[in-house]
């Protein structure tokens, strides 16, 4: 049975970059979920208390993890068929072509936002006054470091998506 989502004209580097962008969130999401359920990650109790975890703050941590994973997962649409044609489960749009500028615009804004977030996180983490053990600070930096790659990877895949889709589009009459 053929793989429905694989586009044969997408180069390997673009597929790998899309998968890489989609996976950049996994370590930090797991770290937030660990905090949400009370797993010790090297933070002082005051940090858990400030986040309200475990407790109601756990819902925010888990929600943030889920939302970031959904947005990261959308990167795969730039190299798969559902990024070119709306999937059948989307009412009113199913089967229609995804407008090139819609995909490019949303992905481009995402690349910009995630690049800015990554840079701000580095600045904040280097200047933060957190109560944590040395290994806790190291763990925090290790799980968030992949987010520095999210924006550039998403940006590269977005440029490829735009070029590929525009080359495949017929010229206006």
């Amino acid at each position: 049975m053929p793989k429905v989502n694989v586009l044969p004209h997408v180069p390997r580097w673009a597929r790998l970059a899309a998968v890489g962008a989609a996976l950049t969130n996994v370590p930090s999401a797991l770290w937030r979920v660990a905090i949400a359920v009370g797993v010790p990650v090297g933070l002082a109790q005051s940090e858990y208390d400030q986040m309200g975890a475990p407790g109601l703050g756990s819902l925010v941590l888990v929600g943030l993890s889920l939302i970031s994973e959904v947005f990261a997962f959308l990167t795969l649409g730039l190299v798969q068929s559902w990024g070119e044609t709306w999937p059948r489960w989307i009412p009113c749009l199913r089967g229609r072509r995804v407008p090139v500028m819609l995909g490019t615009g949303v992905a481009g804004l995402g690349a910009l936002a995630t690049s800015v977030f990554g840079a701000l996180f580095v600045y904040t983490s280097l200047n933060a006054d957190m109560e944590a053990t040395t290994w806790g600070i190291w763990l925090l930096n290790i799980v968030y470091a992949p987010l520095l790659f999210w924006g550039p990877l998403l940006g590269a895949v977005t440029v490829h998506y735009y070029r590929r889709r525009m080359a495949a589009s017929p010229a206006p009459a």
Side-chain angles (χ1 to χ4, degrees):
M1 175 171 242
K3 293 182 182 178
V4 177
N5 287 337
V6 175
L7 297 173
H9 50 281
V10 174
R12 186 170 191 266
W13 74 262
R15 286 193 303 272
L16 290 174
V19 169
L23 293 176
T24 57
N25 279 283
V26 173
S28 59
L30 292 174
W31 184 81
R32 285 189 298 271
V33 170
I35 290 172
V37 298
V39 173
V41 293
L43 300 179
Q45 185 60 45
S46 61
E47 298 292 337
Y48 282 90
D49 294 343
Q50 186 176 1
M51 289 183 263
L56 286 179
S58 296
L59 296 176
V60 173
L61 293 168
V62 171
L64 177 60
S65 294
L66 289 173
I67 289 168
S68 67
E69 289 301 323
V70 166
F71 280 121
F73 175 77
L74 289 176
T75 305
L76 298 176
L78 298 173
V79 297
Q80 294 188 0
S81 61
W82 54 271
E84 293 188 9
T85 306
W86 292 103
R88 66 175 176 252
W89 53 267
I90 298 180
C92 301
L93 295 174
R94 72 185 87 196
R96 294 184 183 176
R97 304 256 317 144
V98 174
V100 176
M101 294 312 293
L102 176 64
T104 303
V106 171
L109 287 173
L112 177 64
T114 55
S115 294
V116 169
F117 173 77
L120 288 175
F121 177 77
V122 169
Y123 175 80
T124 303
S125 68
L126 294 175
N127 296 296
D129 187 23
M130 268 181 104
E131 290 186 52
T133 63
T134 302
W135 73 266
I137 296 295
W138 274 98
L139 180 61
L140 171 71
N141 288 319
I142 289 168
V143 300
Y144 274 90
L147 290 180
L148 290 171
F149 298 105
W150 189 8
L153 289 170
L154 177 55
V157 177
T158 301
V159 169
H160 174 266
Y161 175 84
Y162 175 78
R163 288 181 175 171
R164 178 174 48 80
R165 294 286 311 276
M166 291 307 285
S169 297

